[in-house]
Amino acid sequence: MFILIFEQLLKMFFIMLLAFICYKIKLVDQNGNRSISNLLLMVVNPLLIITVYQDTEYNPDMVSGLLLAFAAALAAHILGILISTFLIRPSSGPDCSIERFNSMYSNCGFIGIPLVNSVLGSSGVFFITAYMVVFNLFTWTHGIILMEKKCSLKSMKEGILSPMFLSTAAAVALFFLRVHIPSVALDTMNYVADMNTPLAMMVAGFSVAQSDLKKMILNARIYFIAFIKLLLIPVLMTAVLRLMSLPSEVAAAILIGAACPAATTGTMMAIRYDQNYTYSSELFAMTTVLSIVTIPAVVLFAETIL
């Protein structure tokens, strides 16, 4: 499992590196970065959620595992919010919200799904979608409040009416009602959904290309956030999963979701809400690079515990 996860992460890093080069040679500019970010958030991600649920056959065992995965994913996000809120204080600077978002929310879709698929197969992907559903519910409500630095009815309404929120609700409803989308339409949606990981890594690469790499590498604060995201939360989540006594496949899928680096969504939302997207992309880039070592290490640790 260690080697499989390491190889998959390495592939994703190379896509990000390609995007970095494309930006540096001016093949893509900031307007292109913003357009691709919006396309990913508003079209590709929502279709990915729907297609995963449509491609999974309904059966009682899978439903039971999914419900347990939902409970574990909820616990993981609550744990992440509590730890991040406690350790990252407003007095740390103006980018407190960016740091909290990147430390508590994982790249469970863009990196988690390919990783889980390479290790556990399609059934594991189905279980990690529970993590993605909870992730979407939190990021498009609590996450928007973090980015706007205020709690308003307008931001909550925007989150609830967002394509990600609506598609998540639709995907779960269609699954439990056993309603199938016609094959022609579903195949078309699958083609678009397949762009999820490469586009996400390219958005990250474009954003990193705009940052000062030397400054990023020497920024001790970034390593502190990376420690919270990549080690502290996943290790504590391992203890929670042990207490919950989940089936091994469900526990592994949720753990990988929690151990993933900072969410690309953080950078895309920072762009969308005019926050410090460069710093957000630096956090994403550093946690992604470090996760090549930390995710296999966390999984190896969890195997001895779970």
Side-chain angles (χ1 to χ4, degrees), residues 2-290:
F2 182 97
I3 297 299
L4 288 173
I5 290 176
F6 179 80
E7 287 179 349
Q8 189 63 40
L9 285 167
L10 206 55
K11 293 172 188 176
M12 295 177 184
F13 175 76
F14 285 136
I15 297 174
M16 189 169 71
L17 182 61
L18 174 63
F20 179 91
I21 295 171
C22 288
Y23 193 93
K24 286 297 186 183
I25 64 175
K26 303 188 184 305
L27 194 61
V28 179
D29 60 13
Q30 176 53 21
N31 289 329
N33 186 17
R34 184 183 294 271
S35 297
I36 294 175
S37 295
N38 285 331
L39 179 68
L40 201 53
L41 273 177
M42 302 298 174
V43 179
V44 179
N45 282 5
L47 291 181
L48 174 67
I49 292 289
I50 293 173
T51 55
V52 167
Y53 276 82
Q54 285 289 305
D55 292 336
T56 302
E57 184 179 349
Y58 184 99
N59 71 64
D61 289 338
M62 293 297 283
V63 171
S64 174
L66 181 65
L67 294 176
L68 290 172
F70 271 118
L74 183 62
H77 282 82
I78 292 174
L79 177 67
I81 289 173
L82 291 175
I83 292 174
S84 300
T85 303
F86 179 74
L87 293 180
I88 303 171
R89 310 305 299 172
S91 58
S92 62
D95 294 321
C96 169
S97 294
I98 292 289
E99 292 178 341
R100 285 180 176 177
F101 193 105
N102 281 280
S103 64
M104 67 180 67
Y105 292 122
S106 288
N107 208 345
C108 54
F110 308 143
I111 290 182
I113 283 183
L115 284 182
V116 169
N117 188 48
S118 66
V119 177
L120 302 174
S122 58
S123 59
V125 172
F126 180 67
F127 294 135
I128 200 175
T129 59
Y131 196 99
M132 290 179 63
V133 168
V134 176
F135 167 86
N136 290 326
L137 296 180
F138 273 82
T139 54
W140 285 95
T141 49
H142 173 261
I144 289 178
I145 292 170
L146 270 181
M147 287 295 175
E148 291 198 327
K149 300 181 180 180
K150 62 180 180 180
C151 180
S152 67
L153 199 59
K154 180 182 176 182
S155 62
M156 293 294 290
K157 181 180 178 181
E158 182 178 356
I160 293 172
L161 296 179
S162 69
M164 278 305 303
F165 199 102
L166 294 176
S167 65
T168 296
V172 174
L174 291 174
F175 176 76
F176 282 104
L177 293 173
R178 304 187 197 186
V179 176
H180 297 285
I181 296 172
S183 59
V184 173
L186 186 59
D187 287 345
T188 303
M189 295 165 70
N190 271 309
Y191 286 139
V192 178
D194 286 342
M195 296 189 294
N196 181 63
T197 297
L199 281 183
M201 299 311 295
M202 295 198 85
V203 166
F206 297 150
S207 299
V208 171
Q210 300 170 61
S211 63
D212 185 335
L213 292 182
K214 182 178 179 181
K215 179 182 176 183
M216 179 182 75
I217 293 172
L218 297 177
N219 187 347
R221 183 73 181 175
I222 289 179
Y223 293 98
F224 173 66
I225 304 301
F227 167 75
I228 296 173
K229 178 72 208 71
L230 299 175
L231 292 175
L232 183 59
I233 292 177
V235 167
L236 292 177
M237 192 58 205
T238 302
V240 173
L241 291 171
R242 180 176 173 81
L243 290 174
M244 295 180 73
S245 300
L246 300 175
S248 59
E249 197 170 35
V250 175
I254 297 301
L255 179 64
I256 290 174
C260 282
T264 313
T265 306
T267 300
M268 292 186 289
M269 280 196 168
I271 292 171
R272 183 175 179 82
Y273 293 101
D274 295 320
Q275 297 298 318
N276 189 353
Y277 66 85
T278 300
Y279 183 45
S280 184
S281 68
E282 289 173 353
L283 290 169
F284 169 80
M286 185 61 75
T287 55
T288 299
V289 172
L290 294 175

